[in-house]
Amino acid sequence: MSTGSGAASAPAPDPYDTKTALDAPRRNSMFSSLRIRNYRLFFLGQVVSNIGTWMQRIAQDWLVLSLTGSSAAVGITTALQFLPMLLFGLYGGVLVDRLRKRPTLMVTQSAMALTSLALAVLTLTGMVEVWHIYVAALALGLATVVDNPARQSFVSELVGPGQLQNAVSLNSANFQSARLVGPAVAGLLITGVGTGWAFLLNGLSFVAPLTGLMLMRTRELHPVERAPRGKGQLREGLRYVAGRPDLLWPIVLVGFMGTFAFNFPVYLSAFADDVFHGDAGVYSLFNTLMAVGSVSGALLAARRGTARLRMLIMAALAFGALEILAAASPELWMFALVMVPLGLVSMTVNVTTNTSLQMSTDPSVRGRVMALYMMVFLGGAPVGAPIVGWVTDTYGARVGFAAGGAIAMTAAAVIGLILARAGGLRLAVGWHHGHPSVRFVPRDRVKALAPAA
């Protein structure tokens, strides 16, 4: 990865080499990237902003449910927020590769702040209608088209290649730690003074990241050469991913999961309201418990020195199984308990995918690759949210949640086999250190590991 003018870019690792950069030993402590001043400013700004973001998510979902009484309406809101990513995500990646990241982020963060403040005014004055929320969700989605790939790729400029794995994991821990505070505060505000205050505080929270961006020292960044304007850059990015199975298939997997299994606003609001007959406090409790697991998953990823694809497949399989288990939970406390490991494995999926893509991608196309990843992951929601909302309304929350888990498990199993085949691996059943073993190994080792006749 390029670390500045004149620095050579490391070649992309061979996806079939057993000793790639993804398998390098851990060299960093859990919080090592926080020693870097620019990243510390970025991290602290995101702490405040992320709390506001989670407050708005809870308030927005609950306000839509209160106004309409429909899980499908919650799904439509989610769809509108992520529809721009589906339609324009790749073009956002092309722009990010051309533009300087810090000024770009200042524009997108300011736009998101103004959108939240406008929704706060409408709600606090009692004028809000469901179409207002739809418009606000769409406006946030348009800003996200550029903001998401810019933030993702800006991390490498803040910390350089040596700290990238650690910084990506800490970013995820940051976002999920805010999930511990944001939903709880949102629940108190909604039941105490109303949803409008959650929108207002979220709008004001953007002051923190904007201040952090302004205080950064330009000379301490690790600039990446920007892509020049030119024709065919979008196709170039797509061809790059299509020729790399280690990039393509993880993106496909998270696409299936983002579309059908990660629709938590639909699933959890339906369980809180329809299954357990709770209020906004119960919904925020579910989100908070998921955040406990997510923070644990992100911190564990920060300690790991690897982002192996086999970890991604295992986590995706476990995620699907836990969704099915949660769907079958007869009591509120049992459902709530499953939220913790569910959050842990969902974060393992997210961090492993994000890190492996960033570390395996050439810096000159990183914005486009990350935009494709975010487009598939977040942009799947406009397709999946109305579908799972309809299934949940028609057949019940338990059926909808279980169906999402089944799709996640099926996608993980199929893509795991595809990656194993592409990497020249075969399933071997035998003995390992005196114990039964089922694992993928190179084809020429299958016979050696097979049990004796």
Side-chain angles (χ1 to χ4, degrees), residues 25 38 55 73 79 81 85 116-117 122 132 136 178 193 202 236 250 277 314 324 360 364 371 394-395 399 413 442 449:
N38 282 345
M55 289 170 57
Q81 187 162 336
M85 181 63 72
S116 299
L117 292 172
L122 288 170
H132 293 141
V193 294
N202 178 50
E236 179 188 1
H277 309 292
M314 292 170 59
I324 294 172
S360 300
S364 64
T394 305
Y395 300 103
V399 173
L449 291 173

PDB file of all heavy atoms in Angstrom, residues 25 38 55 73 79 81 85 116-117 122 132 136 178 193 202 236 250 277 314 324 360 364 371 394-395 399 413 442 449:
ATOM      1  N   PRO A  25       1.502 -12.617  11.300  1.00  0.00           N
ATOM      2  CA  PRO A  25       1.330 -12.670  12.745  1.00  0.00           C
ATOM      3  C   PRO A  25       0.982 -11.319  13.324  1.00  0.00           C
ATOM      4  O   PRO A  25       1.301 -10.276  12.767  1.00  0.00           O
ATOM      5  CB  PRO A  25       2.717 -13.143  13.235  1.00  0.00           C
ATOM      6  CG  PRO A  25       3.663 -12.733  12.150  1.00  0.00           C
ATOM      7  CD  PRO A  25       2.897 -12.858  10.877  1.00  0.00           C
ATOM      8  N   ASN A  38      -3.710  11.964  14.500  1.00  0.00           N
ATOM      9  CA  ASN A  38      -4.805  12.173  13.551  1.00  0.00           C
ATOM     10  C   ASN A  38      -5.891  11.118  13.698  1.00  0.00           C
ATOM     11  O   ASN A  38      -7.087  11.426  13.644  1.00  0.00           O
ATOM     12  CB  ASN A  38      -4.269  12.174  12.117  1.00  0.00           C
ATOM     13  CG  ASN A  38      -3.597  13.486  11.747  1.00  0.00           C
ATOM     14  OD1 ASN A  38      -3.755  14.499  12.426  1.00  0.00           O
ATOM     15  ND2 ASN A  38      -2.838  13.472  10.663  1.00  0.00           N
ATOM     16  N   MET A  55     -28.906   6.793  18.293  1.00  0.00           N
ATOM     17  CA  MET A  55     -30.108   7.406  18.848  1.00  0.00           C
ATOM     18  C   MET A  55     -31.127   7.656  17.738  1.00  0.00           C
ATOM     19  O   MET A  55     -32.322   7.370  17.897  1.00  0.00           O
ATOM     20  CB  MET A  55     -29.750   8.723  19.545  1.00  0.00           C
ATOM     21  CG  MET A  55     -28.976   8.549  20.835  1.00  0.00           C
ATOM     22  SD  MET A  55     -28.323  10.124  21.454  1.00  0.00           S
ATOM     23  CE  MET A  55     -29.822  11.070  21.603  1.00  0.00           C
ATOM     24  N   ALA A  73     -43.658  -0.597   6.791  1.00  0.00           N
ATOM     25  CA  ALA A  73     -43.287   0.819   6.706  1.00  0.00           C
ATOM     26  C   ALA A  73     -41.876   1.050   7.243  1.00  0.00           C
ATOM     27  O   ALA A  73     -41.123   1.868   6.712  1.00  0.00           O
ATOM     28  CB  ALA A  73     -44.290   1.673   7.482  1.00  0.00           C
ATOM     29  N   ALA A  79     -35.264   0.882   3.375  1.00  0.00           N
ATOM     30  CA  ALA A  79     -34.986   0.772   1.948  1.00  0.00           C
ATOM     31  C   ALA A  79     -34.623   2.127   1.351  1.00  0.00           C
ATOM     32  O   ALA A  79     -33.660   2.246   0.579  1.00  0.00           O
ATOM     33  CB  ALA A  79     -36.201   0.188   1.234  1.00  0.00           C
ATOM     34  N   GLN A  81     -33.355   4.678   2.826  1.00  0.00           N
ATOM     35  CA  GLN A  81     -32.076   5.163   3.342  1.00  0.00           C
ATOM     36  C   GLN A  81     -30.901   4.526   2.606  1.00  0.00           C
ATOM     37  O   GLN A  81     -29.848   5.142   2.445  1.00  0.00           O
ATOM     38  CB  GLN A  81     -31.968   4.888   4.850  1.00  0.00           C
ATOM     39  CG  GLN A  81     -30.739   5.514   5.488  1.00  0.00           C
ATOM     40  CD  GLN A  81     -30.878   5.615   6.992  1.00  0.00           C
ATOM     41  OE1 GLN A  81     -31.973   5.652   7.537  1.00  0.00           O
ATOM     42  NE2 GLN A  81     -29.749   5.652   7.679  1.00  0.00           N
ATOM     43  N   MET A  85     -27.338   4.053  -2.119  1.00  0.00           N
ATOM     44  CA  MET A  85     -26.122   3.249  -2.166  1.00  0.00           C
ATOM     45  C   MET A  85     -26.229   2.173  -3.234  1.00  0.00           C
ATOM     46  O   MET A  85     -25.266   1.881  -3.943  1.00  0.00           O
ATOM     47  CB  MET A  85     -25.867   2.626  -0.800  1.00  0.00           C
ATOM     48  CG  MET A  85     -24.592   1.785  -0.732  1.00  0.00           C
ATOM     49  SD  MET A  85     -23.078   2.730  -1.012  1.00  0.00           S
ATOM     50  CE  MET A  85     -22.992   3.665   0.519  1.00  0.00           C
ATOM     51  N   SER A 116     -30.614  15.780   9.850  1.00  0.00           N
ATOM     52  CA  SER A 116     -31.110  15.393  11.172  1.00  0.00           C
ATOM     53  C   SER A 116     -31.773  16.560  11.886  1.00  0.00           C
ATOM     54  O   SER A 116     -32.810  16.403  12.546  1.00  0.00           O
ATOM     55  CB  SER A 116     -29.962  14.845  12.023  1.00  0.00           C
ATOM     56  OG  SER A 116     -29.397  13.692  11.432  1.00  0.00           O
ATOM     57  N   LEU A 117     -31.178  17.741  11.764  1.00  0.00           N
ATOM     58  CA  LEU A 117     -31.756  18.917  12.411  1.00  0.00           C
ATOM     59  C   LEU A 117     -33.112  19.273  11.814  1.00  0.00           C
ATOM     60  O   LEU A 117     -34.032  19.675  12.528  1.00  0.00           O
ATOM     61  CB  LEU A 117     -30.792  20.096  12.304  1.00  0.00           C
ATOM     62  CG  LEU A 117     -29.484  19.968  13.110  1.00  0.00           C
ATOM     63  CD1 LEU A 117     -28.533  21.115  12.774  1.00  0.00           C
ATOM     64  CD2 LEU A 117     -29.773  19.929  14.608  1.00  0.00           C
ATOM     65  N   LEU A 122     -39.238  19.306  12.564  1.00  0.00           N
ATOM     66  CA  LEU A 122     -40.554  18.797  12.181  1.00  0.00           C
ATOM     67  C   LEU A 122     -41.192  17.985  13.301  1.00  0.00           C
ATOM     68  O   LEU A 122     -42.396  18.099  13.579  1.00  0.00           O
ATOM     69  CB  LEU A 122     -40.434  17.931  10.923  1.00  0.00           C
ATOM     70  CG  LEU A 122     -40.160  18.681   9.613  1.00  0.00           C
ATOM     71  CD1 LEU A 122     -39.813  17.692   8.513  1.00  0.00           C
ATOM     72  CD2 LEU A 122     -41.365  19.519   9.211  1.00  0.00           C
ATOM     73  N   HIS A 132     -42.304  12.664   5.624  1.00  0.00           N
ATOM     74  CA  HIS A 132     -41.139  13.458   6.023  1.00  0.00           C
ATOM     75  C   HIS A 132     -39.972  12.550   6.394  1.00  0.00           C
ATOM     76  O   HIS A 132     -38.809  12.828   6.053  1.00  0.00           O
ATOM     77  CB  HIS A 132     -41.474  14.359   7.216  1.00  0.00           C
ATOM     78  CG  HIS A 132     -42.459  15.437   6.914  1.00  0.00           C
ATOM     79  ND1 HIS A 132     -43.451  15.810   7.799  1.00  0.00           N
ATOM     80  CD2 HIS A 132     -42.622  16.226   5.821  1.00  0.00           C
ATOM     81  CE1 HIS A 132     -44.161  16.790   7.271  1.00  0.00           C
ATOM     82  NE2 HIS A 132     -43.679  17.056   6.064  1.00  0.00           N
ATOM     83  N   ALA A 136     -36.249  12.279   4.676  1.00  0.00           N
ATOM     84  CA  ALA A 136     -35.019  12.411   5.459  1.00  0.00           C
ATOM     85  C   ALA A 136     -34.135  11.180   5.299  1.00  0.00           C
ATOM     86  O   ALA A 136     -32.901  11.288   5.188  1.00  0.00           O
ATOM     87  CB  ALA A 136     -35.371  12.630   6.934  1.00  0.00           C
ATOM     88  N   ALA A 178     -20.864   2.697  20.737  1.00  0.00           N
ATOM     89  CA  ALA A 178     -21.914   3.722  20.732  1.00  0.00           C
ATOM     90  C   ALA A 178     -23.293   3.074  20.774  1.00  0.00           C
ATOM     91  O   ALA A 178     -24.250   3.657  21.283  1.00  0.00           O
ATOM     92  CB  ALA A 178     -21.773   4.602  19.499  1.00  0.00           C
ATOM     93  N   VAL A 193     -39.409  12.436  26.787  1.00  0.00           N
ATOM     94  CA  VAL A 193     -39.710  13.740  26.197  1.00  0.00           C
ATOM     95  C   VAL A 193     -40.062  13.674  24.716  1.00  0.00           C
ATOM     96  O   VAL A 193     -40.458  14.684  24.133  1.00  0.00           O
ATOM     97  CB  VAL A 193     -38.511  14.705  26.398  1.00  0.00           C
ATOM     98  CG1 VAL A 193     -38.324  15.021  27.870  1.00  0.00           C
ATOM     99  CG2 VAL A 193     -37.229  14.126  25.793  1.00  0.00           C
ATOM    100  N   ASN A 202     -28.673  14.129  17.681  1.00  0.00           N
ATOM    101  CA  ASN A 202     -27.867  13.537  16.618  1.00  0.00           C
ATOM    102  C   ASN A 202     -27.325  14.616  15.685  1.00  0.00           C
ATOM    103  O   ASN A 202     -26.150  14.576  15.292  1.00  0.00           O
ATOM    104  CB  ASN A 202     -28.690  12.532  15.813  1.00  0.00           C
ATOM    105  CG  ASN A 202     -27.895  11.932  14.675  1.00  0.00           C
ATOM    106  OD1 ASN A 202     -26.781  11.451  14.859  1.00  0.00           O
ATOM    107  ND2 ASN A 202     -28.445  11.959  13.464  1.00  0.00           N
ATOM    108  N   GLU A 236     -13.270  -0.495 -14.779  1.00  0.00           N
ATOM    109  CA  GLU A 236     -11.968  -0.947 -14.301  1.00  0.00           C
ATOM    110  C   GLU A 236     -12.068  -1.536 -12.892  1.00  0.00           C
ATOM    111  O   GLU A 236     -11.498  -2.592 -12.595  1.00  0.00           O
ATOM    112  CB  GLU A 236     -10.978   0.220 -14.301  1.00  0.00           C
ATOM    113  CG  GLU A 236      -9.588  -0.141 -13.782  1.00  0.00           C
ATOM    114  CD  GLU A 236      -8.700   1.078 -13.604  1.00  0.00           C
ATOM    115  OE1 GLU A 236      -9.180   2.212 -13.861  1.00  0.00           O
ATOM    116  OE2 GLU A 236      -7.547   0.912 -13.191  1.00  0.00           O
ATOM    117  N   PRO A 250     -16.427 -12.938  -0.949  1.00  0.00           N
ATOM    118  CA  PRO A 250     -16.832 -12.312   0.320  1.00  0.00           C
ATOM    119  C   PRO A 250     -17.848 -11.193   0.125  1.00  0.00           C
ATOM    120  O   PRO A 250     -18.760 -11.032   0.937  1.00  0.00           O
ATOM    121  CB  PRO A 250     -15.511 -11.785   0.889  1.00  0.00           C
ATOM    122  CG  PRO A 250     -14.481 -12.699   0.329  1.00  0.00           C
ATOM    123  CD  PRO A 250     -14.956 -13.009  -1.060  1.00  0.00           C
ATOM    124  N   HIS A 277     -44.852  -7.765  23.014  1.00  0.00           N
ATOM    125  CA  HIS A 277     -45.761  -6.688  23.415  1.00  0.00           C
ATOM    126  C   HIS A 277     -45.076  -5.671  24.324  1.00  0.00           C
ATOM    127  O   HIS A 277     -45.618  -5.246  25.346  1.00  0.00           O
ATOM    128  CB  HIS A 277     -47.000  -7.271  24.101  1.00  0.00           C
ATOM    129  CG  HIS A 277     -47.652  -8.359  23.297  1.00  0.00           C
ATOM    130  ND1 HIS A 277     -48.284  -8.132  22.098  1.00  0.00           N
ATOM    131  CD2 HIS A 277     -47.731  -9.714  23.522  1.00  0.00           C
ATOM    132  CE1 HIS A 277     -48.748  -9.280  21.612  1.00  0.00           C
ATOM    133  NE2 HIS A 277     -48.423 -10.255  22.451  1.00  0.00           N
ATOM    134  N   MET A 314     -17.035 -19.307   8.781  1.00  0.00           N
ATOM    135  CA  MET A 314     -17.476 -19.886  10.064  1.00  0.00           C
ATOM    136  C   MET A 314     -18.398 -18.924  10.804  1.00  0.00           C
ATOM    137  O   MET A 314     -19.418 -19.332  11.367  1.00  0.00           O
ATOM    138  CB  MET A 314     -16.261 -20.239  10.908  1.00  0.00           C
ATOM    139  CG  MET A 314     -15.429 -21.390  10.361  1.00  0.00           C
ATOM    140  SD  MET A 314     -13.842 -21.577  11.235  1.00  0.00           S
ATOM    141  CE  MET A 314     -14.414 -21.847  12.912  1.00  0.00           C
ATOM    142  N   ILE A 324     -31.790 -18.355  13.723  1.00  0.00           N
ATOM    143  CA  ILE A 324     -32.835 -19.379  13.801  1.00  0.00           C
ATOM    144  C   ILE A 324     -33.142 -19.704  15.253  1.00  0.00           C
ATOM    145  O   ILE A 324     -34.316 -19.862  15.640  1.00  0.00           O
ATOM    146  CB  ILE A 324     -32.397 -20.640  13.028  1.00  0.00           C
ATOM    147  CG1 ILE A 324     -32.288 -20.313  11.527  1.00  0.00           C
ATOM    148  CG2 ILE A 324     -33.374 -21.789  13.255  1.00  0.00           C
ATOM    149  CD1 ILE A 324     -31.691 -21.424  10.704  1.00  0.00           C
ATOM    150  N   SER A 360      -6.158  -6.356   0.942  1.00  0.00           N
ATOM    151  CA  SER A 360      -5.860  -7.101  -0.283  1.00  0.00           C
ATOM    152  C   SER A 360      -6.000  -6.249  -1.538  1.00  0.00           C
ATOM    153  O   SER A 360      -5.731  -6.735  -2.635  1.00  0.00           O
ATOM    154  CB  SER A 360      -6.796  -8.310  -0.396  1.00  0.00           C
ATOM    155  OG  SER A 360      -6.648  -9.174   0.701  1.00  0.00           O
ATOM    156  N   SER A 364      -4.951   2.352  -5.366  1.00  0.00           N
ATOM    157  CA  SER A 364      -5.504   3.181  -6.444  1.00  0.00           C
ATOM    158  C   SER A 364      -6.950   2.847  -6.764  1.00  0.00           C
ATOM    159  O   SER A 364      -7.648   3.665  -7.382  1.00  0.00           O
ATOM    160  CB  SER A 364      -4.658   3.013  -7.713  1.00  0.00           C
ATOM    161  OG  SER A 364      -4.724   1.678  -8.195  1.00  0.00           O
ATOM    162  N   ALA A 371     -16.538   0.934  -2.158  1.00  0.00           N
ATOM    163  CA  ALA A 371     -17.874   1.384  -2.552  1.00  0.00           C
ATOM    164  C   ALA A 371     -18.710   0.205  -3.027  1.00  0.00           C
ATOM    165  O   ALA A 371     -19.910   0.122  -2.727  1.00  0.00           O
ATOM    166  CB  ALA A 371     -17.771   2.435  -3.654  1.00  0.00           C
ATOM    167  N   THR A 394     -46.884 -10.767   7.307  1.00  0.00           N
ATOM    168  CA  THR A 394     -47.803 -11.797   6.819  1.00  0.00           C
ATOM    169  C   THR A 394     -47.711 -13.086   7.614  1.00  0.00           C
ATOM    170  O   THR A 394     -48.744 -13.678   7.987  1.00  0.00           O
ATOM    171  CB  THR A 394     -47.525 -12.092   5.334  1.00  0.00           C
ATOM    172  OG1 THR A 394     -47.593 -10.868   4.579  1.00  0.00           O
ATOM    173  CG2 THR A 394     -48.554 -13.081   4.786  1.00  0.00           C
ATOM    174  N   TYR A 395     -46.503 -13.539   7.888  1.00  0.00           N
ATOM    175  CA  TYR A 395     -46.304 -14.850   8.517  1.00  0.00           C
ATOM    176  C   TYR A 395     -45.806 -14.779   9.959  1.00  0.00           C
ATOM    177  O   TYR A 395     -45.718 -15.807  10.628  1.00  0.00           O
ATOM    178  CB  TYR A 395     -45.323 -15.686   7.689  1.00  0.00           C
ATOM    179  CG  TYR A 395     -45.802 -15.936   6.285  1.00  0.00           C
ATOM    180  CD1 TYR A 395     -45.278 -15.210   5.222  1.00  0.00           C
ATOM    181  CD2 TYR A 395     -46.787 -16.884   6.022  1.00  0.00           C
ATOM    182  CE1 TYR A 395     -45.712 -15.425   3.919  1.00  0.00           C
ATOM    183  CE2 TYR A 395     -47.226 -17.112   4.728  1.00  0.00           C
ATOM    184  CZ  TYR A 395     -46.694 -16.379   3.681  1.00  0.00           C
ATOM    185  OH  TYR A 395     -47.131 -16.602   2.403  1.00  0.00           O
ATOM    186  N   VAL A 399     -41.099 -16.380  11.770  1.00  0.00           N
ATOM    187  CA  VAL A 399     -40.844 -16.927  10.439  1.00  0.00           C
ATOM    188  C   VAL A 399     -39.866 -16.033   9.675  1.00  0.00           C
ATOM    189  O   VAL A 399     -38.924 -16.514   9.028  1.00  0.00           O
ATOM    190  CB  VAL A 399     -42.158 -17.097   9.658  1.00  0.00           C
ATOM    191  CG1 VAL A 399     -41.875 -17.498   8.206  1.00  0.00           C
ATOM    192  CG2 VAL A 399     -43.049 -18.133  10.322  1.00  0.00           C
ATOM    193  N   ALA A 413     -22.424 -21.584   3.340  1.00  0.00           N
ATOM    194  CA  ALA A 413     -21.992 -22.936   2.980  1.00  0.00           C
ATOM    195  C   ALA A 413     -21.596 -23.008   1.508  1.00  0.00           C
ATOM    196  O   ALA A 413     -20.539 -23.561   1.157  1.00  0.00           O
ATOM    197  CB  ALA A 413     -23.099 -23.940   3.297  1.00  0.00           C
ATOM    198  N   PRO A 442      -5.209 -28.743   1.167  1.00  0.00           N
ATOM    199  CA  PRO A 442      -4.841 -28.891  -0.248  1.00  0.00           C
ATOM    200  C   PRO A 442      -5.149 -30.296  -0.757  1.00  0.00           C
ATOM    201  O   PRO A 442      -5.064 -31.273  -0.019  1.00  0.00           O
ATOM    202  CB  PRO A 442      -3.334 -28.608  -0.245  1.00  0.00           C
ATOM    203  CG  PRO A 442      -3.134 -27.716   0.942  1.00  0.00           C
ATOM    204  CD  PRO A 442      -4.111 -28.200   1.979  1.00  0.00           C
ATOM    205  N   LEU A 449      -4.585 -37.597   4.984  1.00  0.00           N
ATOM    206  CA  LEU A 449      -5.376 -37.361   6.189  1.00  0.00           C
ATOM    207  C   LEU A 449      -6.555 -38.303   6.295  1.00  0.00           C
ATOM    208  O   LEU A 449      -7.239 -38.308   7.308  1.00  0.00           O
ATOM    209  CB  LEU A 449      -5.888 -35.916   6.182  1.00  0.00           C
ATOM    210  CG  LEU A 449      -4.824 -34.841   6.364  1.00  0.00           C
ATOM    211  CD1 LEU A 449      -5.420 -33.461   6.157  1.00  0.00           C
ATOM    212  CD2 LEU A 449      -4.158 -34.941   7.701  1.00  0.00           C
TER     213      LEU A 449
END
